[in-house]
Amino acid sequence: MATGDKINGDAFMFHIWDDAAYRPIACITSNDISSSAEVTESKNKCAPGVVSTEYGAINKSASIEGEFIDTTSAGGDSTKASFDFLEGKQDAKQKVDIKIDFGLEDSSSKYAKAIISDLQLTGPAGEVSTFSATLNIDGGYVADPHA
């Protein structure tokens, strides 16, 4: 059985559209994508006792954790997006366009529109501040709307 090449997690990245280009969300320490299917069940009198299942809606979300970096002050890294950028989009109740790179050389990126449904900033004394975000993907993957 072939094992294939393992994909390094460093290459699995999220970017967010900023009205001019896709910015990497920084500085990510961990991220994931979750996909779940609603299942509908039905029974009928033609086949008593048999339960038939079908797909309902498919729900996708992404979770991101990272170090909070300065992207807005003089000297900050304005080429990246961090907690402050995400919070601005959430406060404006603005859906965001995201780009997901999986780190595969022969596979294109995936694109989606998302809602920033959860956002948290943590600043423990003497340590780097971190943030986490949950992005609910709206309607599945789409072609790059900015191509």
Side-chain angles (χ1 to χ4, degrees):
M1 181 169 98
T3 59
D5 292 333
K6 294 178 177 74
I7 306 301
N8 188 313
D10 293 347
F12 176 31
M13 290 292 299
F14 284 81
H15 302 76
I16 190 167
W17 184 256
D18 73 354
D19 297 326
Y22 285 100
R23 289 190 200 186
I25 299 176
C27 284
I28 294 176
T29 56
S30 179
N31 51 300
D32 65 67
I33 293 177
S34 175
S35 181
S36 64
E38 294 177 9
V39 178
T40 58
E41 295 182 350
S42 64
K43 300 176 190 174
N44 62 47
K45 293 180 182 180
C46 293
V50 176
V51 177
S52 177
T53 58
E54 296 293 331
Y55 276 105
I58 304 291
N59 301 301
K60 294 184 183 301
S61 65
S63 297
I64 298 168
E65 296 177 1
E67 295 177 341
F68 181 34
I69 65 168
D70 181 4
T71 62
T72 58
S73 301
D77 190 346
S78 63
T79 65
K80 296 178 180 164
S82 192
F83 174 85
D84 50 350
F85 185 84
L86 298 173
E87 184 182 41
K89 296 293 186 181
Q90 187 185 51
D91 287 347
K93 297 181 179 178
Q94 187 176 27
K95 290 183 181 180
V96 295
D97 292 325
I98 59 172
K99 173 184 171 185
I100 307 165
D101 287 327
F102 293 95
L104 303 173
E105 290 182 23
D106 61 349
S107 177
S108 61
S109 302
K110 295 196 184 255
Y111 300 86
K113 192 164 283 296
I115 292 172
I116 302 166
S117 61
D118 186 52
L119 190 58
Q120 182 176 5
L121 179 63
T122 305
E127 296 180 29
V128 173
S129 294
T130 60
F131 73 95
S132 63
T134 301
L135 307 174
N136 287 340
I137 296 174
D138 184 28
Y141 299 125
V142 297
D144 182 357
H146 306 287

